Each structure stands twice: as C-alpha cells, then as structure tokens.
Amino acid sequence: VGAEALVRWQHPERGLLAPGLFITLAEETGLIAPLGRWVLRAACEQLAAWQNQPRFAALVLAVNVSAVQFLDPGFTQDVLDLLEATGASPAHLKLELTESLLVRDADAVIAT
C-alpha cells in the first residue's frame, strides 16, 4: 500500500494542468531541476509526518524523477541530504524513472 506524489500546475487561465502539459516546458526552460527538488522535499516531509502516525507509517511514497534531474551529478547527494534533513525513512521513498532514461545513458543510470 502506498501513494504517489503528483504535481499539477495551477495555470492562471487554463486551470489545473496535468504534468504532460508542462513538464516538457519545465525541462526546456531549466525549471525541471528546481521543480523536481521541490517535489522530492515535499515528499520527504510528508513521509516524515506519516512516520509519526501509526496508520500511515508503513506507506511507501513514489516520486517520478525526470531524466534531467536523475542524471545531474549532485542528484544522489541531494536525495541523501533531503532524507537526513527531513528525517524521512529511505525505505519508504520510491523513485520512479522513465524507460527513456534507462536507454539514454545506461552506465550513468547504473552508477547513480
């Protein structure tokens, strides 16, 4: 049993937009890295809060990670720092990668 972190953009004219409508733009403009860090931090903070509530303590929280974010040389350290800063259990954080990432640079993916 678990949950998935889902990001949406509250557009001023178009309303609530799903990731498929803005993630590519975030990647093209360089905003995907700060957006991804924000989502990871929010997920870790939520996991830490759940750890103190018996009925939620066993939940796993999945977070989609973009190729740009995952292949950043500092990504692994960023995740470790967030886990330490928030007190979230690493066993309850699930990072989900897209298949395209795996074929893009398999050696770098394996190393990370």
Side-chain angles (χ1 to χ4, degrees), residues 5 7 23 26-28 30-44 62-80 82 93-98 100-101 104 108-109 112:
V7 65
I23 292 296
E27 289 176 334
E28 291 171 358
L31 293 174
I32 195 67
L35 174 61
R37 278 191 298 277
W38 178 80
V39 171
L40 266 174
R41 174 173 288 285
C44 287
V63 177
N64 292 315
V65 177
S66 78
V68 171
Q69 184 180 11
F70 187 81
L71 294 174
D72 181 284
F75 175 73
T76 302
Q77 192 60 53
D78 285 346
V79 173
L80 293 171
L82 282 171
L93 178 63
K94 178 180 176 183
L95 302 178
E96 295 188 347
L97 312 174
T98 62
S100 63
L101 173 63
R104 183 179 298 176
V109 170
T112 302

Side-chain angles (χ1 to χ4, degrees), residues 1-5 43 46-47 50-51 55-63 89-96:
V1 176
E4 182 175 8
Q46 185 61 64
L47 278 173
W50 283 343
Q51 287 170 189
R55 66 184 191 171
F56 298 120
L59 288 177
V60 171
L61 184 55
V63 177
S89 167
H92 293 109
L93 178 63
K94 178 180 176 183
L95 302 178
E96 295 188 347

